[in-house]
Amino acid sequence: MIPAVFPCQPVQSDLFPGIRLWMKRDDLLHPQVSGNKFRKLKYPLLALSGQPLVLSMGGLWSNHLHALAHALQQRGWSGRFLVRAHVGMDSAMLADCRALGMQLLYVNREDYRSLRQEPDFWRQYAQLDGKQTEAVWLPEGGSAASALHGVAELVTEVEQELGLVPDQVWLAAGTGATAAGVLAGMRGRGQVTAVASFPNAAYLQQELARLLIQAGYPAWQNFRLLTDFHHGGYARISPELSEFCKNFYASTGIPTEPVYTGKMLYALHLLCLNGIFRSGQTVLALHTGGMQGVRGFPDWAGHYSQ
């Protein structure tokens, strides 16, 4: 499911003074599906056999559902996706899922909240059809405990490619599973910094600890969560963020999206300008992909047209 080449790219830009910056290009993992979602799906899907019906949840532009649809289609498995939207709402991401043979069910905000909060609420959507052998639930964002094992492998890839363990690893945080997986892979070395992509995200600190323990890892403490760089909300874009992402692409040739990686890099940029890093520190920034979601921002194509 994941290709054999795992590129790390040196980033030489005046936007990040004082550090040696590398970017882990997980946006290049798959020709259609970029990012960390395939890593998170690796072990949850390897645990399945027969002809399962895989259920999960997400929004109109969910990177998780997009990746899951491709992964299930590759295996000839069925997917039933519970989408937080009103009937009739659509997106290019949902069109991709339909084209890959996935079934889409719209759920309202109240039921979507129940899917998050009640462990068995999903079962009312789990009726089997035809040759399906079992119904399997994957949580929002693919954040099952076993997802951490696939994410942890990227740290080994970085060590092999760079010949060192970075002083710091930076990444964006949504559900917290990717950050927890990176912490697991770092095994107490260096520091991991996650930049929350939405407001009121302090609870992710406890969520990471829960996921680590549930997946059989120690509750590593070399972690920092930044919660003040959400630019007004999930999938919200400030003028400063937009201008930064344009400048980042112009100076590096690396495209980003504004929901996750763009916000993380902007935070890293500001902290570099504030001189918080020890001179010459090696910093790895994780590009978690999600470039398909750029289609939800019609003006974003202009970032890459120059």
Side-chain angles (χ1 to χ4, degrees):
M1 182 165 62
I2 296 176
V5 178
F6 309 92
C8 284
Q9 178 175 337
V11 178
Q12 298 175 338
S13 171
D14 294 339
L15 295 169
F16 307 98
I19 64 172
R20 293 184 296 166
L21 180 60
W22 291 81
M23 175 158 278
K24 179 67 167 165
R25 296 291 306 275
D26 267 12
D27 57 311
L28 303 178
L29 282 181
H30 186 276
Q32 285 83 39
V33 184
S34 63
N36 59 325
K37 303 303 182 183
F38 263 16
R39 294 187 184 276
K40 292 163 74 172
L41 291 170
K42 179 179 177 180
Y43 288 103
L45 294 185
L46 282 175
L48 304 181
S49 60
Q51 287 294 319
L53 168 64
V54 179
L55 296 95
S56 195
M57 61 191 285
L60 286 170
W61 293 98
S62 168
N63 295 322
H64 162 63
L65 294 184
H66 194 247
L68 180 58
H70 280 270
L72 295 178
Q73 191 269 344
Q74 287 179 3
R75 290 163 170 77
W77 291 347
S78 302
R80 186 173 295 158
F81 297 167
L82 311 180
V83 182
R84 183 184 58 201
H86 298 297
V87 174
M89 296 178 71
D90 207 358
S91 69
M93 189 284 295
L94 294 182
D96 288 346
C97 291
R98 287 192 203 94
L100 291 164
M102 303 299 112
Q103 181 183 7
L104 306 180
L105 300 179
Y106 291 90
V107 298
N108 59 37
R109 288 182 178 272
E110 181 179 342
D111 287 348
Y112 199 87
R113 189 179 304 113
S114 296
L115 285 167
R116 283 176 168 169
Q117 298 175 350
E118 300 178 27
D120 291 323
F121 193 81
W122 65 274
R123 294 188 183 278
Q124 65 185 286
Y125 303 99
Q127 298 83 5
L128 299 181
D129 297 327
K131 297 181 180 179
Q132 296 165 352
T133 54
E134 64 173 330
V136 178
W137 175 249
L138 291 182
E140 187 176 26
S143 298
S146 58
L148 273 61
H149 304 310
V151 177
E153 292 173 346
L154 76 83
V155 178
T156 301
E157 296 163 16
V158 170
E159 290 184 67
Q160 292 173 346
E161 187 169 353
L162 301 185
L164 53 83
V165 176
D167 298 310
Q168 298 205 26
V169 178
W170 279 60
L171 69 155
T175 62
T178 300
V182 171
L183 267 174
M186 289 291 283
R187 304 195 307 277
R189 301 167 297 175
Q191 183 181 54
V192 177
T193 298
V195 178
S197 61
F198 56 93
N200 305 314
Y203 73 91
L204 288 177
Q205 194 88 34
Q206 289 71 41
E207 179 66 8
L208 262 72
R210 182 190 69 80
L211 285 168
L212 283 166
I213 292 171
Q214 190 175 350
Y217 296 107
W220 299 111
Q221 299 298 308
N222 54 319
F223 174 70
R224 172 176 55 176
L225 177 68
L226 302 183
T227 59
D228 295 329
F229 296 95
H230 52 75
H231 296 265
Y234 182 74
R236 298 286 181 89
I237 308 175
S238 68
E240 295 80 9
L241 175 63
S242 182
E243 185 65 20
F244 168 79
C245 289
K246 285 184 180 179
N247 292 336
F248 179 77
Y249 179 71
S251 65
T252 66
I254 301 173
T256 58
E257 45 70 47
V259 180
Y260 295 106
T261 300
K263 291 180 179 180
M264 177 272 293
L265 289 170
Y266 183 71
L268 178 60
H269 159 67
L270 289 183
L271 269 62
C272 283
L273 294 183
N274 289 334
I276 72 156
F277 294 98
R278 187 176 68 251
S279 180
Q281 274 194 309
T282 300
V283 179
L284 180 83
L286 176 59
H287 195 318
T288 47
M291 296 302 296
Q292 67 86 23
V294 169
R295 298 175 295 177
F297 300 90
D299 297 333
W300 203 256
H303 286 63
Y304 312 125
S305 61
Q306 298 178 353

